[in-house]
Amino acid sequence: MPVAIRHDDLRKRNRAMVIAAVRRAGQPSRTEIAGTTGLSHSTISAISADLIAEGILAEKAAEAASSKRGRPQVALGLAPEAAEVITVVLSLNFLSVAVVDYAGQVVASEERRLETLATGREALLGDCVAMVRRQVEARRAVGHRVLRIGMAVQGITDAGSRMMLWSPITPHAHLEFADRIEAATGIPATVENDCNMIAVALRWRKPERYRNDFIAILLSHGIGMGMVLKGELFTGTQSSGCEFGHMIHRPDGALCRCGRRGCVEAYAGNYAIWRNARGQSEDQAPLADISDEEIRAMADRARAADGPEREAFRIAGEAIGFGLGSLFALIDPAPVALVGIGATAFDLIEPALRSAIDKTAGGQHNKAISFDTLPNERPLIREGCTMTALTFLDREIFAPGPAPLSAAGAA
Protein backbone atom coordinates (compact mmCIF):
# COMPACT_ATOMS: atom_id res chain seq x y z
CA MET A 1 0.00 0.00 0.00
CA PRO A 2 1.42 3.43 -0.92
CA VAL A 3 2.44 5.53 2.05
CA ALA A 4 0.96 9.01 2.11
CA ILE A 5 3.39 11.90 2.57
CA ARG A 6 2.18 14.77 4.69
CA HIS A 7 2.18 18.18 3.04
CA ASP A 8 4.67 19.58 5.56
CA ASP A 9 7.04 16.67 4.99
CA LEU A 10 6.78 17.07 1.22
CA ARG A 11 7.44 20.78 1.50
CA LYS A 12 10.49 20.18 3.68
CA ARG A 13 11.82 17.54 1.30
CA ASN A 14 11.37 19.77 -1.76
CA ARG A 15 12.99 22.76 -0.05
CA ALA A 16 15.92 20.56 0.95
CA MET A 17 16.31 19.35 -2.63
CA VAL A 18 16.39 22.90 -3.99
CA ILE A 19 18.91 24.10 -1.39
CA ALA A 20 21.09 21.04 -1.99
CA ALA A 21 21.01 21.61 -5.76
CA VAL A 22 22.10 25.21 -5.34
CA ARG A 23 24.89 24.27 -2.91
CA ARG A 24 26.17 21.58 -5.23
CA ALA A 25 26.04 23.65 -8.43
CA GLY A 26 27.05 27.04 -7.03
CA GLN A 27 24.84 29.35 -9.09
CA PRO A 28 22.38 27.28 -11.15
CA SER A 29 19.36 28.58 -13.02
CA ARG A 30 15.87 27.44 -12.09
CA THR A 31 15.89 25.29 -15.22
CA GLU A 32 19.11 23.59 -14.10
CA ILE A 33 17.62 22.98 -10.65
CA ALA A 34 14.60 21.36 -12.30
CA GLY A 35 16.90 19.07 -14.26
CA THR A 36 18.81 18.10 -11.12
CA THR A 37 15.88 17.59 -8.76
CA GLY A 38 13.10 16.42 -11.07
CA LEU A 39 10.76 18.99 -9.53
CA SER A 40 8.41 20.98 -11.74
CA HIS A 41 9.27 24.52 -12.77
CA SER A 42 6.26 25.85 -10.90
CA THR A 43 7.33 24.08 -7.69
CA ILE A 44 10.86 25.42 -8.00
CA SER A 45 9.60 28.93 -8.68
CA ALA A 46 7.41 28.84 -5.58
CA ILE A 47 10.12 27.38 -3.34
CA SER A 48 12.84 29.72 -4.61
CA ALA A 49 10.56 32.72 -4.07
CA ASP A 50 10.05 31.68 -0.45
CA LEU A 51 13.77 31.05 0.08
CA ILE A 52 14.66 34.44 -1.41
CA ALA A 53 12.10 36.17 0.80
CA GLU A 54 13.56 34.39 3.84
CA GLY A 55 17.09 35.50 2.94
CA ILE A 56 18.36 31.97 2.28
CA LEU A 57 18.81 32.28 -1.49
CA ALA A 58 19.61 35.31 -3.61
CA GLU A 59 19.28 36.01 -7.30
CA LYS A 60 22.59 36.57 -9.03
CA ALA A 61 23.52 38.70 -12.03
CA ALA A 62 22.13 37.53 -15.34
CA GLU A 63 24.37 35.57 -17.69
CA ALA A 64 26.50 37.57 -20.07
CA ALA A 65 25.01 38.12 -23.50
CA SER A 66 25.58 35.24 -25.88
CA SER A 67 24.46 33.98 -29.22
CA LYS A 68 21.47 32.29 -27.56
CA ARG A 69 18.15 33.90 -28.36
CA GLY A 70 15.60 34.81 -25.72
CA ARG A 71 15.76 36.19 -22.22
CA PRO A 72 18.88 35.17 -20.25
CA GLN A 73 18.20 33.00 -17.23
CA VAL A 74 18.74 34.34 -13.73
CA ALA A 75 20.99 32.29 -11.49
CA LEU A 76 20.29 31.45 -7.87
CA GLY A 77 22.95 31.38 -5.17
CA LEU A 78 23.12 30.90 -1.43
CA ALA A 79 22.84 34.15 0.51
CA PRO A 80 26.15 34.54 2.40
CA GLU A 81 24.54 36.54 5.21
CA ALA A 82 21.88 33.91 5.97
CA ALA A 83 24.07 32.30 8.64
CA GLU A 84 27.62 31.41 9.54
CA VAL A 85 29.37 28.34 10.86
CA ILE A 86 32.69 27.94 12.66
CA THR A 87 35.19 25.20 11.96
CA VAL A 88 37.90 24.14 14.41
CA VAL A 89 40.89 21.96 13.48
CA LEU A 90 43.11 20.47 16.20
CA SER A 91 46.12 18.42 15.15
CA LEU A 92 49.63 17.83 16.40
CA ASN A 93 50.90 21.17 17.75
CA PHE A 94 48.37 23.13 15.66
CA LEU A 95 45.01 24.79 16.31
CA SER A 96 42.94 26.81 13.85
CA VAL A 97 39.47 28.35 13.85
CA ALA A 98 37.64 29.73 10.80
CA VAL A 99 34.32 31.52 10.35
CA VAL A 100 32.54 30.53 7.13
CA ASP A 101 29.47 32.22 5.67
CA TYR A 102 26.44 30.36 4.35
CA ALA A 103 27.82 30.46 0.79
CA GLY A 104 30.95 28.65 1.95
CA GLN A 105 33.46 31.52 2.00
CA VAL A 106 35.90 32.00 4.89
CA VAL A 107 35.28 35.46 6.39
CA ALA A 108 37.59 35.30 9.43
CA SER A 109 40.22 32.95 10.78
CA GLU A 110 42.76 32.51 13.53
CA GLU A 111 45.47 29.92 14.05
CA ARG A 112 48.38 29.25 16.38
CA ARG A 113 50.96 26.70 17.34
CA LEU A 114 49.81 24.78 20.39
CA GLU A 115 52.10 22.30 22.12
CA THR A 116 49.50 19.56 22.32
CA LEU A 117 51.72 16.94 23.92
CA ALA A 118 52.90 19.25 26.69
CA THR A 119 49.67 21.14 27.40
CA GLY A 120 47.58 20.11 30.40
CA ARG A 121 44.04 18.81 30.03
CA GLU A 122 42.21 21.96 31.20
CA ALA A 123 44.60 24.23 29.34
CA LEU A 124 44.06 22.32 26.10
CA LEU A 125 40.29 22.48 26.44
CA GLY A 126 40.48 26.11 27.51
CA ASP A 127 42.72 27.21 24.64
CA CYS A 128 40.36 25.68 22.07
CA VAL A 129 37.25 27.12 23.69
CA ALA A 130 38.81 30.57 24.07
CA MET A 131 39.70 30.81 20.38
CA VAL A 132 36.19 29.76 19.36
CA ARG A 133 34.57 32.18 21.80
CA ARG A 134 36.64 35.10 20.46
CA GLN A 135 35.38 34.46 16.96
CA VAL A 136 31.77 34.02 18.08
CA GLU A 137 31.83 37.28 20.04
CA ALA A 138 33.40 39.13 17.12
CA ARG A 139 30.66 37.91 14.76
CA ARG A 140 27.90 38.78 17.20
CA ALA A 141 29.36 42.26 17.62
CA VAL A 142 28.72 42.99 13.93
CA GLY A 143 25.24 41.42 13.91
CA HIS A 144 26.03 38.04 12.38
CA ARG A 145 24.69 34.77 13.71
CA VAL A 146 26.73 31.60 14.00
CA LEU A 147 24.43 28.58 14.02
CA ARG A 148 26.81 25.62 14.10
CA ILE A 149 30.36 24.76 15.19
CA GLY A 150 32.20 21.77 13.74
CA MET A 151 35.49 20.56 15.16
CA ALA A 152 37.90 18.05 13.61
CA VAL A 153 40.56 16.35 15.73
CA GLN A 154 43.44 14.03 15.00
CA GLY A 155 42.34 10.97 16.90
CA ILE A 156 39.36 8.79 17.78
CA THR A 157 36.05 10.51 18.48
CA ASP A 158 32.91 9.03 20.01
CA ALA A 159 29.99 7.94 17.85
CA GLY A 160 27.89 10.82 19.17
CA SER A 161 30.43 13.38 17.89
CA ARG A 162 30.84 14.93 21.32
CA MET A 163 34.41 14.22 22.44
CA MET A 164 37.91 13.10 21.59
CA LEU A 165 38.25 9.62 23.08
CA TRP A 166 41.95 9.17 22.39
CA SER A 167 44.63 10.83 20.30
CA PRO A 168 48.39 10.46 19.85
CA ILE A 169 48.69 14.26 19.92
CA THR A 170 47.90 14.51 23.64
CA PRO A 171 48.27 12.29 26.71
CA HIS A 172 44.72 13.19 27.76
CA ALA A 173 41.68 11.08 26.89
CA HIS A 174 37.92 11.68 26.85
CA LEU A 175 38.17 15.41 26.16
CA GLU A 176 34.62 16.77 26.04
CA PHE A 177 35.18 19.52 23.46
CA ALA A 178 31.58 19.79 22.24
CA ASP A 179 30.14 20.20 25.74
CA ARG A 180 32.71 22.86 26.64
CA ILE A 181 32.21 24.81 23.42
CA GLU A 182 28.43 24.74 23.72
CA ALA A 183 28.57 25.86 27.36
CA ALA A 184 30.81 28.80 26.42
CA THR A 185 28.95 29.94 23.29
CA GLY A 186 25.41 28.58 23.38
CA ILE A 187 25.90 27.18 19.87
CA PRO A 188 25.49 23.48 18.94
CA ALA A 189 28.87 21.83 18.32
CA THR A 190 30.17 18.50 17.05
CA VAL A 191 33.56 16.77 17.17
CA GLU A 192 34.65 14.64 14.22
CA ASN A 193 37.67 12.59 13.20
CA ASP A 194 39.92 14.57 10.84
CA CYS A 195 40.24 11.79 8.25
CA ASN A 196 36.46 11.45 8.06
CA MET A 197 36.35 15.16 7.25
CA ILE A 198 38.91 14.67 4.51
CA ALA A 199 36.60 12.07 2.95
CA VAL A 200 33.66 14.48 3.15
CA ALA A 201 35.69 17.19 1.44
CA LEU A 202 36.82 14.89 -1.37
CA ARG A 203 33.24 13.95 -2.10
CA TRP A 204 32.35 17.62 -2.55
CA ARG A 205 35.45 18.46 -4.54
CA LYS A 206 35.42 15.57 -6.99
CA PRO A 207 32.08 13.72 -6.91
CA GLU A 208 32.70 12.01 -10.25
CA ARG A 209 35.54 10.04 -8.61
CA TYR A 210 34.67 10.08 -4.92
CA ARG A 211 31.02 9.11 -4.69
CA ASN A 212 29.74 5.75 -3.44
CA ASP A 213 32.91 3.86 -2.45
CA PHE A 214 36.32 5.39 -1.82
CA ILE A 215 39.09 5.69 0.75
CA ALA A 216 41.15 8.63 1.99
CA ILE A 217 44.42 7.82 3.77
CA LEU A 218 46.35 10.47 5.67
CA LEU A 219 50.12 9.97 5.40
CA SER A 220 51.60 12.31 7.95
CA HIS A 221 53.12 11.99 11.39
CA GLY A 222 50.26 9.58 11.95
CA ILE A 223 48.40 7.34 9.52
CA GLY A 224 44.63 7.75 9.38
CA MET A 225 41.71 6.77 7.17
CA GLY A 226 38.32 8.06 6.16
CA MET A 227 36.14 5.64 4.20
CA VAL A 228 32.85 5.94 2.31
CA LEU A 229 30.94 2.73 1.55
CA LYS A 230 27.70 2.57 -0.41
CA GLY A 231 27.49 6.34 -0.28
CA GLU A 232 27.77 6.57 3.52
CA LEU A 233 30.69 7.70 5.65
CA PHE A 234 31.83 4.66 7.62
CA THR A 235 31.94 5.05 11.40
CA GLY A 236 31.92 2.61 14.27
CA THR A 237 29.06 1.92 16.64
CA GLN A 238 30.93 3.51 19.55
CA SER A 239 33.61 5.61 17.90
CA SER A 240 34.66 7.24 14.64
CA GLY A 241 36.21 3.94 13.53
CA CYS A 242 38.64 3.35 10.63
CA GLU A 243 41.88 3.37 12.62
CA PHE A 244 43.80 2.03 9.64
CA GLY A 245 47.12 3.24 11.03
CA HIS A 246 46.70 1.03 14.07
CA MET A 247 45.92 -2.18 12.23
CA ILE A 248 48.69 -4.68 13.00
CA HIS A 249 51.25 -5.03 10.22
CA ARG A 250 53.77 -7.15 12.15
CA PRO A 251 52.79 -8.66 15.52
CA ASP A 252 55.13 -7.53 18.30
CA GLY A 253 56.96 -5.36 15.79
CA ALA A 254 58.06 -1.73 15.86
CA LEU A 255 56.94 0.59 18.64
CA CYS A 256 54.01 2.83 17.68
CA ARG A 257 52.95 6.19 19.12
CA CYS A 258 49.85 4.49 20.48
CA GLY A 259 52.07 2.42 22.81
CA ARG A 260 51.40 -0.85 21.00
CA ARG A 261 53.72 -2.66 18.62
CA GLY A 262 53.61 -3.55 14.96
CA CYS A 263 50.99 -1.03 13.76
CA VAL A 264 50.96 0.14 10.14
CA GLU A 265 51.82 3.60 11.45
CA ALA A 266 54.94 2.26 13.19
CA TYR A 267 56.36 1.60 9.70
CA ALA A 268 54.70 4.30 7.57
CA GLY A 269 54.29 7.37 9.77
CA ASN A 270 56.76 10.24 9.42
CA TYR A 271 58.51 9.26 12.64
CA ALA A 272 58.77 5.64 11.49
CA ILE A 273 60.33 6.60 8.15
CA TRP A 274 62.77 8.87 9.99
CA ARG A 275 63.60 6.09 12.46
CA ASN A 276 64.23 3.51 9.75
CA ALA A 277 66.21 5.92 7.55
CA ARG A 278 68.64 6.39 10.45
CA GLY A 279 68.91 2.71 11.21
CA GLN A 280 67.51 3.12 14.70
CA SER A 281 66.03 0.29 16.74
CA GLU A 282 62.33 -0.49 16.41
CA ASP A 283 62.26 -0.04 20.19
CA GLN A 284 63.29 3.60 19.84
CA ALA A 285 60.55 5.90 21.15
CA PRO A 286 58.83 7.75 18.27
CA LEU A 287 59.89 11.37 17.83
CA ALA A 288 57.20 13.84 18.82
CA ASP A 289 57.30 15.72 15.53
CA ILE A 290 59.07 15.55 12.17
CA SER A 291 58.88 18.63 9.95
CA ASP A 292 57.55 18.49 6.41
CA GLU A 293 60.90 19.87 5.26
CA GLU A 294 62.71 16.88 6.77
CA ILE A 295 60.37 14.44 5.01
CA ARG A 296 60.97 16.20 1.68
CA ALA A 297 64.73 16.12 2.27
CA MET A 298 64.64 12.39 3.04
CA ALA A 299 62.61 11.78 -0.12
CA ASP A 300 65.14 13.74 -2.18
CA ARG A 301 67.98 11.65 -0.75
CA ALA A 302 66.01 8.47 -1.47
CA ARG A 303 65.56 9.49 -5.11
CA ALA A 304 69.25 10.36 -5.45
CA ALA A 305 70.71 7.12 -4.14
CA ASP A 306 69.76 3.59 -3.16
CA GLY A 307 70.43 3.90 0.55
CA PRO A 308 68.67 3.77 3.92
CA GLU A 309 66.21 6.54 3.01
CA ARG A 310 64.96 4.63 -0.03
CA GLU A 311 64.64 1.49 2.07
CA ALA A 312 62.65 3.40 4.70
CA PHE A 313 60.10 4.53 2.10
CA ARG A 314 59.97 0.98 0.69
CA ILE A 315 59.12 -0.34 4.17
CA ALA A 316 56.42 2.32 4.49
CA GLY A 317 54.89 1.36 1.15
CA GLU A 318 54.91 -2.31 2.10
CA ALA A 319 53.07 -1.65 5.37
CA ILE A 320 50.41 0.47 3.66
CA GLY A 321 50.07 -2.07 0.84
CA PHE A 322 49.51 -5.06 3.11
CA GLY A 323 46.99 -3.02 5.09
CA LEU A 324 45.08 -2.00 1.97
CA GLY A 325 45.23 -5.51 0.55
CA SER A 326 43.67 -6.93 3.70
CA LEU A 327 41.00 -4.22 3.59
CA PHE A 328 40.23 -4.86 -0.08
CA ALA A 329 39.77 -8.55 0.69
CA LEU A 330 36.79 -7.44 2.78
CA ILE A 331 35.23 -4.59 0.79
CA ASP A 332 36.63 -4.95 -2.77
CA PRO A 333 39.00 -2.34 -4.23
CA ALA A 334 37.93 1.31 -4.33
CA PRO A 335 39.56 4.59 -5.42
CA VAL A 336 42.17 5.80 -2.93
CA ALA A 337 43.30 9.34 -2.12
CA LEU A 338 46.63 9.64 -0.34
CA VAL A 339 46.71 12.89 1.57
CA GLY A 340 49.43 14.71 3.50
CA ILE A 341 53.17 15.22 3.24
CA GLY A 342 53.75 11.50 2.76
CA ALA A 343 51.85 11.69 -0.53
CA THR A 344 54.69 13.77 -2.01
CA ALA A 345 56.83 10.61 -1.83
CA PHE A 346 54.30 8.35 -3.53
CA ASP A 347 56.77 7.59 -6.32
CA LEU A 348 59.01 6.01 -3.68
CA ILE A 349 56.17 4.24 -1.88
CA GLU A 350 54.08 2.94 -4.79
CA PRO A 351 56.20 -0.02 -6.04
CA ALA A 352 56.34 -1.71 -2.63
CA LEU A 353 52.72 -0.77 -1.94
CA ARG A 354 51.44 -2.46 -5.10
CA SER A 355 53.74 -5.44 -4.62
CA ALA A 356 52.33 -5.97 -1.13
CA ILE A 357 48.73 -5.68 -2.35
CA ASP A 358 49.53 -8.32 -4.98
CA LYS A 359 50.38 -10.78 -2.20
CA THR A 360 46.94 -10.46 -0.59
CA ALA A 361 43.47 -11.68 -1.52
CA GLY A 362 42.56 -8.05 -2.21
CA GLY A 363 45.25 -7.85 -4.89
CA GLN A 364 43.36 -9.73 -7.58
CA HIS A 365 42.19 -6.39 -8.99
CA ASN A 366 45.41 -4.49 -8.23
CA LYS A 367 45.73 -2.97 -11.69
CA ALA A 368 42.28 -1.41 -11.32
CA ILE A 369 43.16 0.32 -8.04
CA SER A 370 43.82 3.99 -8.68
CA PHE A 371 45.51 6.53 -6.45
CA ASP A 372 45.32 10.31 -6.21
CA THR A 373 47.83 12.32 -4.18
CA LEU A 374 47.09 15.55 -2.31
CA PRO A 375 50.00 16.91 -0.24
CA ASN A 376 48.16 19.28 2.13
CA GLU A 377 45.52 17.86 4.46
CA ARG A 378 44.56 21.01 6.39
CA PRO A 379 42.40 22.67 3.70
CA LEU A 380 40.58 19.38 3.19
CA ILE A 381 39.93 18.92 6.90
CA ARG A 382 38.55 22.45 7.19
CA GLU A 383 36.44 21.99 4.06
CA GLY A 384 35.00 18.74 5.36
CA CYS A 385 34.08 20.40 8.65
CA THR A 386 32.56 23.32 6.78
CA MET A 387 30.41 21.21 4.49
CA THR A 388 29.26 18.99 7.35
CA ALA A 389 28.11 22.04 9.29
CA LEU A 390 26.56 23.85 6.32
CA THR A 391 24.64 20.85 5.04
CA PHE A 392 23.28 20.35 8.55
CA LEU A 393 21.88 23.90 8.36
CA ASP A 394 20.50 23.16 4.89
CA ARG A 395 18.58 20.08 6.06
CA GLU A 396 17.68 20.79 9.66
CA ILE A 397 17.41 24.57 9.93
CA PHE A 398 16.48 26.06 6.57
CA ALA A 399 14.64 23.19 4.83
CA PRO A 400 11.93 23.00 7.53
CA GLY A 401 11.43 26.76 7.41
CA PRO A 402 13.08 30.07 8.29
CA ALA A 403 15.58 29.89 11.17
CA PRO A 404 14.24 32.07 14.00
CA LEU A 405 16.32 35.02 15.10
CA SER A 406 16.34 33.55 18.58
CA ALA A 407 18.21 30.46 17.35
CA ALA A 408 21.43 29.59 19.13
CA GLY A 409 24.17 31.95 18.09
CA ALA A 410 21.92 34.88 17.18
CA ALA A 411 23.09 38.30 18.26
Side-chain angles (χ1 to χ4, degrees):
M1 175 182 287
V3 178
I5 300 177
R6 294 190 312 164
H7 175 74
D8 287 348
D9 292 338
L10 181 61
R11 175 178 174 274
K12 176 181 176 180
R13 186 192 70 179
N14 289 346
R15 281 171 61 102
M17 290 173 66
V18 171
I19 295 171
V22 175
R23 185 165 302 283
R24 173 62 70 187
Q27 293 187 10
S29 67
R30 290 169 175 80
T31 299
E32 290 168 332
I33 295 172
T36 300
T37 63
L39 298 174
S40 69
H41 286 271
S42 60
T43 297
I44 291 169
S45 294
I47 291 173
S48 61
D50 288 343
L51 293 172
I52 291 170
E54 294 163 16
I56 299 168
L57 297 185
E59 290 187 328
K60 302 298 179 179
E63 295 175 353
S66 67
S67 59
K68 293 182 180 180
R69 302 178 66 181
R71 182 180 177 182
Q73 295 185 344
V74 177
L76 292 174
L78 298 163
E81 65 279 4
E84 292 175 344
V85 299
I86 285 180
T87 65
V88 187
V89 178
L90 177 65
S91 56
L92 180 65
N93 298 331
F94 178 79
L95 172 65
S96 74
V97 172
V99 181
V100 185
D101 67 28
Y102 189 57
Q105 299 301 307
V106 175
V107 295
S109 64
E110 180 180 354
E111 63 181 49
R112 58 168 288 200
R113 181 174 176 84
L114 178 62
E115 301 292 340
T116 55
L117 288 168
T119 302
R121 178 188 180 88
E122 288 303 314
L124 184 59
L125 286 163
D127 285 345
C128 294
V129 170
M131 189 179 285
V132 173
R133 185 165 50 203
R134 277 196 299 275
Q135 293 300 326
V136 169
E137 290 173 352
R139 304 314 294 168
R140 286 174 173 164
V142 293
H144 293 265
R145 55 179 184 162
V146 177
L147 297 185
R148 191 82 170 171
I149 298 171
M151 182 175 187
V153 298
Q154 185 180 340
I156 302 173
T157 60
D158 68 306
S161 301
R162 304 299 300 169
M163 67 174 67
M164 175 196 286
L165 297 177
W166 174 86
S167 175
I169 70 172
T170 174
H172 313 297
H174 295 86
L175 294 167
E176 62 276 18
F177 284 110
D179 290 348
R180 294 291 188 96
I181 290 171
E182 288 182 4
T185 65
I187 302 170
T190 59
V191 181
E192 306 283 357
N193 170 265
D194 59 348
C195 292
N196 285 349
M197 294 300 95
I198 290 173
V200 170
L202 289 172
R203 199 172 183 187
W204 279 93
R205 282 193 180 189
K206 206 171 182 181
E208 67 279 6
R209 172 174 170 84
Y210 301 113
R211 183 178 296 275
N212 293 325
D213 299 279
F214 67 90
I215 293 165
I217 299 179
L218 177 63
L219 304 181
S220 186
H221 200 65
I223 304 296
M225 175 182 284
M227 182 164 59
V228 171
L229 296 178
K230 306 301 181 185
E232 298 292 334
L233 185 67
F234 176 83
T235 58
T237 57
Q238 300 180 51
S239 71
S240 49
C242 266
E243 285 300 306
F244 175 78
H246 300 289
M247 291 171 56
I248 296 300
H249 172 51
R250 291 180 183 168
D252 301 317
L255 183 62
C256 181
R257 281 192 307 167
C258 71
R260 300 177 182 87
R261 289 183 171 274
C263 300
V264 170
E265 183 182 296
Y267 297 89
N270 287 357
Y271 66 85
I273 295 171
W274 188 93
R275 183 168 59 190
N276 285 329
R278 279 156 179 75
Q280 294 184 349
S281 167
E282 292 187 343
D283 298 328
Q284 181 73 28
L287 259 64
D289 196 3
I290 306 289
S291 70
D292 289 355
E293 290 73 21
E294 179 62 19
I295 294 298
R296 291 190 183 95
M298 281 195 292
D300 288 342
R301 292 193 292 272
R303 295 184 184 101
D306 186 4
E309 289 88 359
R310 187 178 295 180
E311 176 64 8
F313 283 104
R314 186 200 67 77
I315 291 171
E318 182 180 67
I320 296 165
F322 277 121
L324 279 175
S326 296
L327 180 65
F328 289 151
L330 296 175
I331 66 169
D332 286 343
V336 179
L338 299 176
V339 183
I341 188 62
T344 62
F346 185 60
D347 58 315
L348 299 167
I349 291 171
E350 183 180 18
L353 185 156
R354 288 196 179 274
S355 176
I357 291 177
D358 270 337
K359 297 173 184 176
T360 70
Q364 57 185 319
H365 303 296
N366 196 349
K367 292 182 180 179
I369 301 170
S370 58
F371 295 90
D372 274 354
T373 57
L374 300 96
N376 190 355
E377 71 271 20
R378 285 177 182 169
L380 287 163
I381 296 169
R382 174 184 285 180
E383 187 176 333
C385 268
T386 297
M387 298 314 299
T388 299
L390 288 175
T391 53
F392 177 88
L393 298 190
D394 294 346
R395 296 190 310 267
E396 305 300 330
I397 304 297
F398 293 131
L405 289 176
S406 58

